[in-house]
């Protein structure tokens, strides 16, 4: 099947050394099958040296008239010429696959060879140039008759196309002659049988001697008519010597016939002489006379033939002279060709070198192209991988953006809740703090005892990552999460509680301390001697007032003057609650900024109240004095109250110079009133009637005055901080803080639970063998950590804005 398809795709084109005609024939074939995938097989008829004669630029010479050395040179020259012509044919075909078959023109019957070739190669498509069928010798058929012969003898599976001058022509027979017509029915050429006498041939060859030759050859006309050679009209004037050779060959045939006739006549005479022995004498005489007359006539005829032979010898001498002159001319041409042979050889070598260079360039180009294709393949693979990675990153970015939008939405909801809670807090603050003392009369034990395992799990085995600092020093307080609630767990050493009874007494005492401005106890663990308190997100007041440079969320964090007034009022309410407790008052005993904790809204709560063994008026006065010192520290932001006292003594306007600039522009009346209350508390030994109930009333007045100032628009307050506008806020959003460290993240990464953590904190969390989420306490689906570049950019941008506003 494959061989049949290959044969169907092959087109055989028969052409010769005529370059112009060959190009026209190839052009027709390429145009005819331009839409098909074909293979062209060139049947090239080369101009080889014939067995009988040699073709030279001066014509044809008998092969025997050229020596062997010159004959070999002519053969090499002819072979090079054929190779060059064949190479030009292949180049002309361009990108079409080309094969070549050389046909030797020794064959006298090229048409028979073509028919045999069709059957041998099973040619389906054959294109023949009309010049290809041109006869190679005078004995062969003409090009037209040869074409008709191939047309008649070819098998049915072969399609034959005859091309003349680059156009397709058609064969037609009629009236004993062959016609060639084009596609419009116009006759291009025809072929017919013609017989011509030697006399007519000589007249056309030698018109100047025509009368003499006609006279001398009149007796030979009858014998030469049977040996006339068929030639085309245009070839008769080109091949004089060939015609004469034909004449000589015809004459030789006549001589052979005459010789045979004489032999037959001689045998007949001998036969008759033998037969005459049976005749009478008279019959013999008569027969001899008749035979004598016949012999006499034969002698006369022989004399005339001898005369014609003499004339033929003269003609032969003339032909020999002409051939000799032509041979000399051909020798000269051969010598010229041999002289050009070195130049042709050099040109051939140059062409070969150029072909070799072109071949080398093609190989180099192929190698470069192969490298480029390999590089293109690698780049294509990398682009595919990049596209996949990009699509994954885009999907992840969409998830992060969605989480961010959800977070922003939650923030807005929290802000609304915050406003509601503020209103509720304001409402609660307006109640008399004394009314809350009733909680001590009927205490509700809403605390829980936790197991040691729960405490260790919540604190990650009391890891330093969970440990809280105060003033840069480690404390015994750990941040943790119990039942999805942030708590602070404080460990008590043997120095704090020397026995379990003492510890339980402290737990019982703290459980009774129920007030909005007292730190609430959530539960305890008797095994580990630790107490669980509510977690205050903004830490202690000391860190805010006296720590100007920290690496946490409180960096450059300042309380404005209204928030400070609220803190002073909160602490005053809390102390009033302790001093008015029943059945006996309770003194804090160590009130200072480190014992005041702030929640997210900067609401102050007092903690670390000592168990009241015995409490007298001196202890209560000590708390009032500590409260006065606290008020002055909040005013100045410094740990020395003497500055305020000196400023008030010298000049009230000097008070502005010692106020804390982080609080903003204090209203002078409020600042003076707070300074007066602070100094009054420090001078309690002069005013023995001063108590926390009176101070609470005074502080309530100051707070109302501050609220009126804010309400009148004299100062803008938001979330308890100074805000000239939203961009100047020094508070970071909650999602900027690491849920584990509660500090602003520097390198946030998203864990499998969808929350962002500081990289070092979450890695430490996972290294310790935990597989649960710090936020939800649910099992994590994996340990993959993805950098949260968007959140990191937001944090850095916020820090830049805050640093700019601070400057």
């Amino acid at each position: 099947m494959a061989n049949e398809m290959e044969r169907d795709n092959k087109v055989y084109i028969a052409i010769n050394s005529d370059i112009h005609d060959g190009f026209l024939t190839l052009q027709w074939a390429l145009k005819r099958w331009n839409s098909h995938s074909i293979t062209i097989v060139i049947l090239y008829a080369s101009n080889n040296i014939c067995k009988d004669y040699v073709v030279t630029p001066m014509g044809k010479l008998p092969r025997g008239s050229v020596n062997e050395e010159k004959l070999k040179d002519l053969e090499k020259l002819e072979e090079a010429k054929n190779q060059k012509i064949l190479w030009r044919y292949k180049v002309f075909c361009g990108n079409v696959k080309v094969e070549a078959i050389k046909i030797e023109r020794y064959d006298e019957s090229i048409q028979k060879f073509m028919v045999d070739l069709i059957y041998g190669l099973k040619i389906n498509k054959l294109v023949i140039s009309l010049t290809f069928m041109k006869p190679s010798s005078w004995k062969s058929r003409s090009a037209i008759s040869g074409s008709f012969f191939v047309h008649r003898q070819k098998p049915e599976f072969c399609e034959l196309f005859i091309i003349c001058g680059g156009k397709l022509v058609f064969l037609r027979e009629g009236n004993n002659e062959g016609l060639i017509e084009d596609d419009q029915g116009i006759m291009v050429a025809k072929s017919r049988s013609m017989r011509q006498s030697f006399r007519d041939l000589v007249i056309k060859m030698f018109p100047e001697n025509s009368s003499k030759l006609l006279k001398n050859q009149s007796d030979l006309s009858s014998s030469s008519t049977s040996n006339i050679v068929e030639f085309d009209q245009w070839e008769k004037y080109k091949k004089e010597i060939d015609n004469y050779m034909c004449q000589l060959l015809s004459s030789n045939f006549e001589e052979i016939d005459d010789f045979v006739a004489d032999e037959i006549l001689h045998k007949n005479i001998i036969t008759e002489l033998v037969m005459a022995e049976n005749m009478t004498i008279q019959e013999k005489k008569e027969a001899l006379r008749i035979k004598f007359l016949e012999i006499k006539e034969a002698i006369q005829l022989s004399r005339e033939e001898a005369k014609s032979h003499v004339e033929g010898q003269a003609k032969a001498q003339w032909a020999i002279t002409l051939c000799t002159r032509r041979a000399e001319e051909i020798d000269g041409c051969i010598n010229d060709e041999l002289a050009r042979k070195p130049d042709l050889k050099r040109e051939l070598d140059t062409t070969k070198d150029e072909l070799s260079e072109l071949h080398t360039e093609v190989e180099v180009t192929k190698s470069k192209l192969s490298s480029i294709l390999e590089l293109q393949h690698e780049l294509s693979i990398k682009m595919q991988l990049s596209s996949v990675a990009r699509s994954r990153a885009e999907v992840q970015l969409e998830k992060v953006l969605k989480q961010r939008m959800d977070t922003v939405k939650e923030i807005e909801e929290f802000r609304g809740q915050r406003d509601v809670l503020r209103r509720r807090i304001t409402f609660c603050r307006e109640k008399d703090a004394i009314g809350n003392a009733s909680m001590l009369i009927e205490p509700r034990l809403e605390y829980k005892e936790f197991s040691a395992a729960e405490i260790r799990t919540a604190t990650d085995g009391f890891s330093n990552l969970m440990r809280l600092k105060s003033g840069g020093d480690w404390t015994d307080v750990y941040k943790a999460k119990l039942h999805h609630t942030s708590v602070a767990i404080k460990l008590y050493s043997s120095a704090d509680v020397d026995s379990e009874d003492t510890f339980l007494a402290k737990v019982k005492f703290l459980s009774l301390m129920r007030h909005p401005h007292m730190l609430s106890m959530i539960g305890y663990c008797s095994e580990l001697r630790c107490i669980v308190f509510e977690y205050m997100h903004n830490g202690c007041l000391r860190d805010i007032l006296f720590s100007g440079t920290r690496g946490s969320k409180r960096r450059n964090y300042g309380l404005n003057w209204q928030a400070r007034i609220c803190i002073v009022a909160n602490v005053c309410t809390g102390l009033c609650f302790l001093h008015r407790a029943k059945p006996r008052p309770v003194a804090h005993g160590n009130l200072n900024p480190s014992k005041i904790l702030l929640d997210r809204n900067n609401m102050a709560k007092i903690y670390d109240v000592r168990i009241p063994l015995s409490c007298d008026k001196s202890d209560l006065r000590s708390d009032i004095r500590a409260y006065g010192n606290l008020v002055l520290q909040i005013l100045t932001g410094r740990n020395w109250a003497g500055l305020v006292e000196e400023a008030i003594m010298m000049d009230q306007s000097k008070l502005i110079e010692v106020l804390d600039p982080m609080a903003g522009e204090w209203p002078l009346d409020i600042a003076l009133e707070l300074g007066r209350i602070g100094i009054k508390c420090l001078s309690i030994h002069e005013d023995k009637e001063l108590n926390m109930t009176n101070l609470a009333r005074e502080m309530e007045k100051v707070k109302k005055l501050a609220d009126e100032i804010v309400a009148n628009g004299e100062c803008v307050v938001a979330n308890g901080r100074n805000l000239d506008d939203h961009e100047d806020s020094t508070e970071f959003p909650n999602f900027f803080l690491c849920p584990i460290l509660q500090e602003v993240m520097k390198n946030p990464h998203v864990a499998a639970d969808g929350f962002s953590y500081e990289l070092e904190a979450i890695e430490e969390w996972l290294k310790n063998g935990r597989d649960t989420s710090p936020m939800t306490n649910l099992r994590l689906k994996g340990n993959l950590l993805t950098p949260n570049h968007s959140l990191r950019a937001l944090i850095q941008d916020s820090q830049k804005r805050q640093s700019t506003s601070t400057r």
Side-chain angles (χ1 to χ4, degrees):
M1 182 64 71
N3 293 334
E4 291 179 2
M5 291 180 65
E6 186 176 357
R7 285 197 299 271
D8 293 337
N9 292 334
K10 286 188 177 182
V11 178
Y12 292 78
I13 302 177
I15 52 180
N16 58 7
S17 59
D18 190 345
I19 294 292
H20 179 69
D21 188 78
F23 284 163
L24 291 176
T25 304
L26 288 172
Q27 183 178 6
W28 181 89
L30 292 172
K31 186 177 180 181
R32 171 67 173 75
W33 288 281
N34 64 342
S35 62
H36 298 76
S37 177
I38 62 170
T39 299
I40 291 179
V41 181
I42 298 176
L43 303 176
Y44 177 72
S46 59
N47 291 330
N48 293 328
I49 299 175
C50 184
K51 296 181 290 186
D52 301 325
Y53 56 85
V54 179
V55 179
T56 67
M58 301 303 296
K60 296 181 180 178
L61 292 179
R63 189 181 182 92
S65 63
V66 182
N67 57 42
E68 291 295 327
E69 183 178 357
K70 292 183 178 180
L71 190 62
K72 291 181 180 179
D73 291 338
L74 286 174
E75 288 177 351
K76 293 180 180 179
L77 184 63
E78 197 66 30
E79 180 65 19
K81 182 178 178 182
N82 290 331
Q83 291 292 342
K84 186 174 181 180
I85 293 173
L86 193 57
W87 177 78
R88 293 182 65 183
Y89 284 154
K90 290 181 179 180
V91 172
F92 184 80
C93 293
N95 295 328
V96 180
K97 185 178 180 181
V98 180
E99 298 177 4
I101 299 176
K102 293 180 66 176
I103 299 176
E104 306 293 341
R105 292 304 294 262
Y106 292 131
D107 308 296
E108 295 181 353
S109 181
I110 187 65
Q111 58 273 12
K112 292 182 179 179
F113 177 82
M114 291 302 297
V115 173
D116 295 337
L117 195 63
I118 291 172
Y119 280 98
L121 297 179
K122 296 182 179 180
I123 298 175
N124 293 331
K125 300 179 183 66
L126 177 61
V127 180
I128 299 179
S129 171
L130 195 61
T131 59
F132 177 86
M133 302 300 296
K134 185 174 69 176
S136 60
S137 67
W138 63 274
K139 296 180 183 180
S140 302
R141 295 171 180 261
S142 67
I144 301 173
S145 60
S147 300
F148 272 98
F149 180 86
V150 175
H151 179 68
R152 296 189 196 101
Q153 300 297 325
K154 73 177 182 66
E156 292 182 358
F157 63 81
C158 178
E159 293 182 75
L160 179 64
F161 304 88
I162 306 297
I163 305 301
C164 179
K167 296 182 178 179
L168 178 65
V169 296
F170 303 93
L171 303 177
R172 186 173 65 83
E173 294 181 286
N175 299 326
N176 295 325
E177 62 182 4
L179 300 178
I180 296 181
E181 298 177 347
D182 60 7
D183 54 354
Q184 298 179 357
I186 300 174
M187 185 182 69
V188 178
K190 66 180 179 177
S191 174
R192 66 185 179 208
S193 299
M194 296 183 297
R195 291 190 174 272
Q196 202 168 19
S197 65
F198 182 76
R199 178 185 59 187
D200 296 333
L201 184 64
V202 172
I203 289 174
K204 290 185 179 181
M205 289 175 58
F206 309 102
E208 66 278 3
N209 297 323
S210 61
S211 60
K212 182 178 179 180
L213 290 173
L214 289 173
K215 181 180 180 180
N216 293 335
Q217 299 296 332
S218 60
D219 297 331
L220 300 175
S221 61
S222 60
S223 62
S224 61
T225 56
S226 60
N227 296 296
I228 300 301
V229 182
E230 181 181 305
F231 291 98
D232 292 333
Q233 190 68 23
W234 63 275
E235 290 180 337
K236 294 177 182 178
Y237 300 100
K238 182 180 178 183
K239 303 176 180 179
E240 301 90 343
I241 302 301
D242 288 340
N243 294 334
Y244 179 66
M245 295 297 293
C246 295
Q247 176 192 351
L248 291 178
L249 183 59
S250 178
S251 299
N252 291 334
F253 288 153
E254 291 177 359
E255 290 176 1
I256 292 171
D257 293 339
D258 293 340
F259 177 76
V260 173
D262 291 341
E263 289 292 330
I264 296 172
L265 179 61
H266 180 65
K267 289 181 181 179
N268 291 334
I269 293 174
I270 293 174
T271 304
E272 290 175 358
L273 288 176
V274 174
M275 293 174 59
E277 292 180 355
N278 301 324
M279 296 180 182
T280 62
I281 295 173
Q282 189 63 31
E283 290 174 349
K284 289 181 179 180
K285 287 182 180 181
E286 185 63 24
L288 289 173
R289 187 181 67 79
I290 294 172
K291 295 298 180 184
F292 180 76
L293 292 175
E294 292 177 356
I295 291 171
K296 187 176 180 180
E297 291 178 1
I299 292 171
Q300 183 64 32
L301 182 62
S302 298
R303 287 178 179 175
E304 291 177 358
E305 289 177 357
K307 185 177 178 181
S308 66
H309 284 311
V310 171
E311 293 177 355
Q313 185 177 5
K315 176 65 176 179
Q317 187 64 37
W318 170 83
I320 291 171
T321 303
L322 181 61
C323 290
T324 303
R325 186 165 61 252
R326 292 288 297 275
E328 291 175 355
E329 293 175 356
I330 290 173
D331 286 339
C333 292
I334 292 174
N335 292 332
D336 293 340
E337 292 293 332
L338 292 176
R340 289 179 57 197
K341 181 179 178 181
D343 295 336
L344 292 174
K345 187 176 181 181
R346 284 193 298 271
E347 183 179 354
L348 180 61
D349 294 338
T350 303
T351 305
K352 287 182 179 180
D353 293 340
E354 291 177 356
L355 287 175
S356 178
E357 291 177 359
L358 288 175
H359 181 70
T360 303
E361 291 180 0
V362 169
E363 293 298 329
V364 172
T365 305
K366 285 183 178 179
S367 178
K368 291 182 179 179
L369 181 60
S370 178
S371 301
I372 291 172
L373 291 176
E374 291 178 0
L375 181 60
Q376 183 181 6
H377 181 65
E378 293 178 0
L379 291 176
S380 177
I381 293 175
K382 290 182 179 179
M383 286 184 64
Q384 291 178 358
L385 295 176
S386 299
S387 300
V388 172
R390 181 181 177 183
S391 61
R392 291 178 179 174
E394 288 177 351
V395 171
Q396 187 175 1
L397 180 60
E398 289 178 358
K399 292 181 179 179
V400 172
L401 291 176
K402 186 178 179 181
Q403 292 177 357
R404 182 174 178 272
M405 292 176 64
D406 295 340
T407 304
V408 172
K409 187 176 180 180
E410 290 179 359
I411 290 173
E412 295 297 329
E413 293 176 355
F414 289 153
R415 285 178 177 173
Q417 295 175 7
R418 181 195 62 188
D419 295 337
V420 173
L421 291 175
R422 280 182 178 175
R423 290 192 293 270
R424 291 179 180 178
I425 291 170
T426 303
F427 175 77
C428 293
R429 286 175 179 175
E430 291 178 353
K431 291 185 178 181
D432 189 7
I434 300 175
N436 295 324
S438 60
M439 297 176 64
L440 291 176
I441 300 173
E442 297 179 359
R444 290 171 295 171
L445 301 178
E446 296 179 353
Y447 56 90
K448 178 182 177 182
E449 182 175 3
F450 296 96
S451 64
E454 288 179 308
I455 299 298
R456 288 193 177 96
T457 301
T459 59
D460 192 14
F462 297 101
S463 171
N464 284 335
L465 289 176
M466 313 298 289
R467 198 172 183 182
L468 299 180
K469 287 183 177 182
S470 178
D473 299 326
W474 291 108
T475 65
D476 293 329
V477 182
Y478 296 84
K479 182 189 174 183
K481 268 204 171 184
L482 288 172
H483 305 296
H484 308 292
T485 304
S486 296
V487 296
I489 301 175
K490 181 175 181 180
L491 282 175
Y492 287 90
S493 62
S494 58
D496 297 327
V497 287
D498 53 359
S499 65
E500 185 176 355
D501 293 337
T502 306
F503 174 75
L504 294 176
K506 188 174 185 65
V507 170
K508 184 177 180 181
F509 171 75
L510 292 176
S511 66
L512 300 175
M513 305 293 291
R514 297 293 178 178
H515 190 272
H517 301 299
M518 300 297 296
L519 188 64
S520 299
M521 184 188 75
I522 296 174
Y524 70 98
C525 177
S526 58
E527 182 180 352
L528 298 177
R529 291 190 181 181
C530 61
I531 298 178
V532 181
F533 295 96
E534 62 176 321
Y535 181 73
M536 305 296 285
H537 291 80
N538 286 352
C540 69
L541 181 61
R542 184 186 66 176
D543 292 341
I544 299 174
L545 289 178
F546 307 140
S547 299
T549 57
R550 283 177 295 275
S552 66
K553 66 176 182 177
R554 291 182 293 275
R555 180 185 296 274
N556 297 326
Y557 178 88
L559 296 169
N560 66 8
W561 61 269
Q562 189 190 18
R564 298 187 186 208
I565 291 173
C566 291
I567 291 171
V568 171
N570 294 338
V571 174
C572 184
T573 303
L575 278 179
C576 185
F577 165 74
L578 291 176
H579 289 190
R580 298 188 63 179
K582 300 296 182 179
R584 60 179 180 272
V586 176
H588 187 282
N590 188 22
L591 184 65
N592 58 67
S594 64
K595 305 301 180 180
I596 309 299
L597 301 180
L598 304 178
D599 65 3
R600 293 183 185 274
N601 297 312
N602 287 329
M603 178 183 288
K605 294 191 179 186
I606 304 172
Y607 89 105
D608 200 16
V609 180
R610 292 181 295 184
I611 299 176
L613 298 177
S614 61
C615 181
D616 54 15
K617 291 185 178 180
S618 61
D619 296 328
L620 298 180
R621 289 177 181 177
S622 177
D623 282 350
I624 295 174
R625 191 177 297 106
Y627 175 75
N629 189 48
L630 176 66
V631 171
L632 297 180
Q633 289 176 348
I634 289 176
L635 272 174
T636 62
R638 303 175 187 178
N639 198 12
W640 184 37
L643 293 173
V644 180
E645 187 175 1
E646 292 178 1
I648 294 176
M649 294 285 188
M650 295 175 61
D651 187 359
Q652 292 183 353
S653 61
K654 295 291 184 179
L655 179 63
I656 300 175
E657 298 178 1
V658 298
L659 295 177
D660 188 359
M662 297 296 291
E665 297 182 1
W666 281 83
L668 185 58
D669 294 342
I670 293 177
L672 288 174
E673 184 63 22
L674 285 179
R676 184 188 63 78
I677 292 173
I679 294 173
K680 183 178 179 180
C681 291
L682 292 175
S683 305
I684 191 172
H685 59 279
E686 298 178 358
D687 187 1
K688 297 181 180 181
E689 298 298 327
L690 183 63
N691 54 45
M692 290 306 302
T693 302
N694 297 332
L695 289 174
R697 294 192 187 98
E698 293 181 12
M699 286 304 306
E700 187 65 23
K701 294 178 182 179
V702 173
K703 184 178 179 302
K704 287 183 179 180
L705 179 60
D707 292 339
E708 291 176 0
I709 293 175
V710 173
N712 293 331
E714 298 180 13
C715 185
V716 179
V717 178
N719 202 22
R721 296 160 187 83
N722 288 330
L723 288 178
D724 294 335
D725 54 41
H726 186 70
E727 296 295 330
D728 294 333
S729 176
T730 58
E731 181 186 12
F732 292 107
N734 291 333
F735 61 88
F736 283 11
L737 308 180
C738 173
I740 298 175
L741 301 179
Q742 284 300 315
E743 295 181 355
V744 177
M745 290 180 283
K746 297 180 180 179
N747 189 9
H749 278 63
V750 180
D753 59 356
F755 292 94
S756 295
Y757 303 90
E758 180 65 33
L759 179 61
E760 295 180 358
I762 191 64
E763 284 181 345
E764 183 68 22
W765 178 276
L766 297 174
K767 284 180 182 178
N768 290 332
R770 288 190 176 85
D771 59 353
T772 57
S773 168
M775 292 293 291
T776 64
N777 204 27
L778 298 176
R779 184 177 299 275
L780 295 171
K781 295 182 179 180
N783 295 337
L784 179 64
L785 301 176
T786 305
N788 194 339
H789 298 294
S790 301
L791 180 58
R792 183 179 181 181
L794 289 173
I795 294 173
Q796 291 176 350
D797 185 58
S798 178
Q799 289 175 341
K800 287 181 181 179
R801 289 199 302 269
Q802 290 190 8
S803 61
T804 303
S805 63
T806 302
R807 287 196 294 268

